[in-house]
Amino acid sequence: MQAGPGTLCRIDPGTTHPPRVAQERCTMRPTCEIRRDLLAFGPVDDTNVARFDALIAEAYRAEDEALIPALLGLLDDDCEFHEVIFGVVHAVESFAADRYFAALTQNLTTLRQRAPEWCALLHTRILNSPPHFAGLLDAFVSLQAEARAQEIAILDEIAADPDYAERCRAGIGRLRDMSPAASPA
């Protein structure tokens, strides 16, 4: 059941992610306002963790793929509220895989620099599903060599774990075999 105009949306206390929504009467805010608030949100702490969780739930309910980059920007290795940050992971995973992978590949350098642990976690979750891993690799076909090099470096780090080594090596081989992308005009 989707929340829509005239439905009040509130987060069920103690919810797991993706957030469950209790529906009464709610008017969804425009995506641009949600995006603005996602981008402006600072570090999560005791004083704002509930507001952060509610904002992630609101982004999840909006179902607008334009929010994926802003959501990825919230991943923070230094945040002590892992369960809330996992809400971000579940939110981005709720989008169509091709849109999620496109946003992930386009934001990979920044994500890897700012939140390398969460970046690796996103990748291991994708690696656990062969069709999704193939879809992620497909997202690199039209990208420049620099983007592929970032992905190769990430997969090479994850390959240190024997549970992922074979899949990572296969992915690295596939990325190296891709034709160079045409340079933008």
Side-chain angles (χ1 to χ4, degrees):
M1 180 179 243
Q2 294 289 9
T7 307
L8 175 63
C9 304
R10 70 174 194 279
I11 307 305
D12 284 343
T15 179
T16 57
H17 292 280
R20 288 176 284 151
V21 177
Q23 300 173 7
E24 292 167 7
R25 297 176 55 192
C26 174
T27 304
M28 290 291 288
R29 291 191 306 150
T31 299
C32 62
E33 289 181 18
I34 299 168
R35 183 179 182 278
R36 179 200 63 215
D37 290 349
L38 290 169
L39 293 172
F41 209 96
V44 180
D45 58 33
D46 289 330
T47 66
N48 64 11
V49 68
R51 190 167 49 92
F52 182 82
D53 199 32
L55 183 58
I56 299 310
E58 186 177 19
Y60 173 82
R61 286 190 310 272
E63 298 179 352
D64 188 333
E65 63 194 38
L67 295 173
I68 301 171
L71 286 163
L72 289 170
L74 295 172
L75 295 171
D76 180 2
D77 287 353
D78 295 327
C79 180
E80 64 185 70
F81 300 96
H82 292 235
E83 65 283 354
V84 177
I85 298 294
F86 250 108
V88 175
V89 171
H90 292 284
V92 297
E93 289 177 343
S94 73
F95 290 97
D98 62 327
R99 302 312 316 146
Y100 164 44
F101 298 152
L104 181 59
T105 58
Q106 292 165 5
N107 293 278
L108 196 56
T109 300
T110 304
L111 179 60
R112 185 169 181 233
Q113 290 170 349
R114 191 188 60 257
E117 292 172 20
W118 286 105
C119 183
L121 179 105
L122 293 175
H123 278 77
T124 57
R125 290 171 66 89
I126 293 167
L127 279 160
N128 284 329
S129 168
H132 283 106
F133 185 47
L136 175 64
L137 296 176
D138 288 345
F140 285 94
V141 169
S142 64
L143 298 180
Q144 297 295 315
E146 295 82 21
R148 290 188 208 133
Q150 281 287 324
E151 184 65 12
I152 288 170
I154 291 166
L155 293 176
D156 195 45
E157 290 170 8
I158 296 170
D161 182 334
D163 291 338
Y164 296 100
E166 185 177 330
R167 287 171 276 177
C168 287
R169 299 270 177 249
I172 290 168
R174 184 164 168 219
L175 288 165
R176 287 186 173 143
D177 289 345
M178 288 180 182
S179 300
S183 296

